Amino acid sequence: MPRPKLSVIGLGYLGATHAICMADLGYDVVGVDIDAARIDALTNGTLPFFEPGLDELLGKVLPTGRLRFTTSYDEIADADVHFLCVGTPQRKGEYAADTSQIDAAVGSLATHVRRSCTLVGKSTVPVGTAERIAEHFATQDVELVWNPEFLREGWAIEDTLHPDRLVFGVASPRGEAAMREVFAPIIDSGVPVVVTDIATAQLVKVAANAFLATKISFINAMAEVCEVVHADVKKLSEALSYDERIGGRFLHAGLGFGGGCLPKDIRAFMARAGELGVDQALTFLTEVDAINQRRRARMVDLTRELLADSLSGRRIGILGAAFKPHSDDIRDSPALDVASRLHRAGAHVTVYDPAALANARRDYPALAYAESAVEAATGADAVLHLTEWPEFRQMEPAVLGDVVRRRNVVDGRNALDPERWRAAGWHYRALGRP
Ligand code: UDX
């Protein structure tokens, strides 16, 4: 049987990764996006974002001819399976998700589809969106299924080709059969499949992200308590982690979560719960969000305390700009939020990041930037470790010690070794630790 022809609609993080990985599995894939510059870049083998290994994979599949990119929906009209991967950012000034890209993409697809096919929703959406999408195809033979995506930045290929699980939200046996066919190479490698109705499948993604955010904020709330009783949240977290019911992953206390998913997904989930009349079920997420924001404020306060209660005119070297290591993504980055708050309080802030400098310069032009950790720390009254890149963990404290004005370091990620830094003459402080 010939393999199904695929289209991927929306070539952001999710869509570009999915298109490249499916072509690597041997499928013919056409990716469509309204951004012509993005299409040109991808066609020429350039990724519009940083993701370890993905540019090599793009370079490997492009010459096979199995992967093409276009701005024209005409070119995807004959695909058997369409993957919907457009973005659903937070609406300006509101908690709710902006689903205008979904509406535009589905509207375009509806005017071009001329044959029976499957439409697979992968975007993270407010529950109920799929049901609204289905109305666009009332007179066409389009089978709608929902297949949430759990990919982490920095692990995008691994999470796409070897996910923990596949979730298929279907309305009929035909939808399930189409999904089992298109994901056969992944299912055959032993990945578990959970088949649900379409509403449940839409909920799985936001429920997973709400749980992860809650776990991080839980341990950061414990850090707040540790700070007043001079206890050590890192030891607390280690001791909790041996309880298999709790587990140690996503239990690292520090500056908290950011990025393009966790913050906006919990807010959109609360907004949707409100519309559905079950807002009480999710009011705890308001607290999860508030704890997360308080860590950023605490980081600024801790720095101020360290500098004799004054930030004005102080030089601060910041290590990290990306919202997490192995990414150049600065969306809702805790590191840049703290850097901006310090800048607004009158400090001279110089930021270094191994991958996110270009993005940070573009979105935070008021901050100063350096090309290395040593350059960022030169002349500093305090050094702040805000994104836990391996190069910062492995750094020799004595080397930075030679260039700073004062050996003050604040570890916002609880990832540096306090013994090593103290041995090199540093005054080491961290969130949630004595
Ligand atoms: C997340 C989800 O993990 C993924 O399943 C979903 O599809 C998209 O959102 P991502 O945004 O790439 O992925 O980031 P993730 O690795 O989950 O980290 C989120 C944030 O939490 C980062 O800012 C990270 O620094 C922070 N974090 C993570 C902590 O502060 N403590 C932890 O223990 C773990």
Side-chain angles (χ1 to χ4, degrees):
M1 217 170 65
R3 284 185 145 195
K5 281 203 244 172
L6 314 184
S7 96
V8 175
I9 302 169
L11 297 167
Y13 219 100
L14 167 60
T17 306
H18 189 65
I20 295 166
C21 287
M22 293 309 271
D24 187 48
L25 288 177
Y27 291 96
D28 276 321
V29 183
V30 180
V32 67
D33 197 292
I34 53 167
D35 181 342
R38 180 165 289 234
I39 293 302
D40 284 346
L42 286 166
T43 303
N44 292 317
T46 307
L47 278 181
F49 50 83
F50 167 84
E51 175 63 35
L54 196 60
D55 41 1
E56 287 90 341
L57 201 58
L58 176 61
K60 179 181 149 203
V61 291
L62 274 179
T64 66
R66 290 197 300 268
L67 178 60
R68 290 186 299 112
F69 299 104
T70 178
T71 53
S72 162
Y73 276 76
D74 276 333
E75 293 184 41
I76 64 165
D78 69 338
D80 299 292
V81 182
H82 302 276
F83 289 97
L84 182 62
C85 298
V86 295
T88 52
Q90 189 176 340
R91 269 190 228 157
K92 290 236 177 334
E94 284 180 55
Y95 270 12
D98 173 357
T99 54
S100 58
Q101 294 181 44
I102 297 261
D103 294 326
V106 168
S108 298
L109 185 66
T111 58
H112 286 83
V113 156
R114 288 180 292 274
R115 43 163 301 198
S116 72
C117 60
T118 307
L119 173 58
V120 184
K122 288 184 89 64
S123 305
T124 303
V125 292
V127 60
T129 304
E131 293 74 357
R132 202 157 51 74
I133 291 173
E135 290 166 13
H136 282 267
F137 301 101
T139 60
Q140 287 154 309
D141 186 20
V142 174
E143 181 75 24
L144 181 66
V145 295
W146 213 263
N147 167 231
E149 183 61 60
F150 305 98
L151 68 86
R152 296 161 298 168
E153 298 189 10
W155 304 91
I157 300 173
E158 174 72 14
D159 287 351
T160 303
L161 294 177
H162 310 283
D164 295 338
R165 73 301 208 185
L166 287 165
V167 178
F168 300 156
V170 301
S172 76
R174 181 182 142 196
E176 182 180 342
M179 295 302 276
R180 288 193 181 275
E181 183 187 13
V182 76
F183 282 104
I186 297 176
I187 298 172
D188 291 347
S189 72
V191 170
V193 174
V194 183
V195 179
T196 73
D197 56 76
I198 288 184
T200 305
Q202 290 169 90
L203 276 176
V204 176
K205 170 63 182 284
V206 281
N209 278 352
F211 187 82
L212 294 172
T214 303
K215 210 172 170 194
I216 299 169
S217 277
F218 172 83
I219 198 66
N220 283 333
M222 295 305 110
E224 291 188 23
V225 178
C226 285
E227 276 158 22
V228 293
V229 297
H230 307 290
D232 185 335
V233 73
K234 194 153 167 131
K235 283 284 164 201
L236 179 78
S237 156
E238 184 191 340
L240 290 178
S241 73
Y242 288 106
D243 186 329
E244 282 179 9
R245 295 167 303 174
I246 299 175
R249 296 181 69 189
F250 274 69
L251 207 62
H252 300 292
L255 199 49
F257 59 82
C261 288
L262 259 48
K264 71 122 173 135
D265 285 355
I266 61 170
R267 292 174 195 151
F269 198 13
M270 283 187 270
R272 185 64 183 138
E275 290 166 3
L276 295 167
V278 284
D279 39 333
Q280 277 193 337
L282 298 187
T283 40
F284 74 95
L285 289 176
T286 313
E287 202 47 50
V288 166
D289 201 3
I291 293 165
N292 196 51
Q293 294 298 323
R294 281 207 297 274
R295 290 289 77 190
R296 303 175 184 191
R298 176 67 189 136
M299 188 72 201
V300 173
D301 290 344
L302 194 54
T303 309
R304 187 186 286 112
E305 277 168 33
L306 208 60
L307 298 175
D309 283 333
S310 166
L311 288 169
S312 178
R314 305 292 189 163
R315 297 203 164 272
I316 297 175
I318 303 247
L319 306 183
F323 84 101
K324 68 171 191 180
H326 310 289
S327 170
D328 69 349
D329 195 340
I330 58 162
R331 283 176 293 172
D332 202 349
S333 163
L336 285 170
D337 190 5
V338 168
S340 306
R341 290 177 194 222
L342 292 166
H343 170 75
R344 287 196 300 271
H348 296 290
V349 175
T350 306
V351 181
Y352 165 69
D353 188 281
L357 275 186
N359 287 340
R361 277 199 173 99
R362 187 196 60 222
D363 289 3
Y364 294 78
L367 306 178
Y369 294 95
E371 296 298 327
S372 69
V374 168
E375 192 190 331
T378 300
D381 297 298
V383 173
L384 271 47
H385 175 237
L386 303 185
T387 310
E388 70 275 37
W389 284 94
E391 82 166 65
F392 300 147
R393 266 205 312 275
Q394 288 148 13
M395 216 161 39
E396 204 43 72
V399 172
L400 274 203
D402 284 344
V403 300
V404 295
R405 204 154 81 93
R406 294 208 193 102
R407 291 186 188 173
N408 287 316
V409 61
V410 191
D411 186 1
R413 292 293 176 184
N414 280 314
L416 305 177
D417 178 355
E419 311 278 296
R420 276 180 67 218
W421 285 76
R422 287 185 178 130
W426 286 80
H427 183 44
Y428 172 95
R429 293 292 304 269
L431 293 172
R433 302 178 82 182

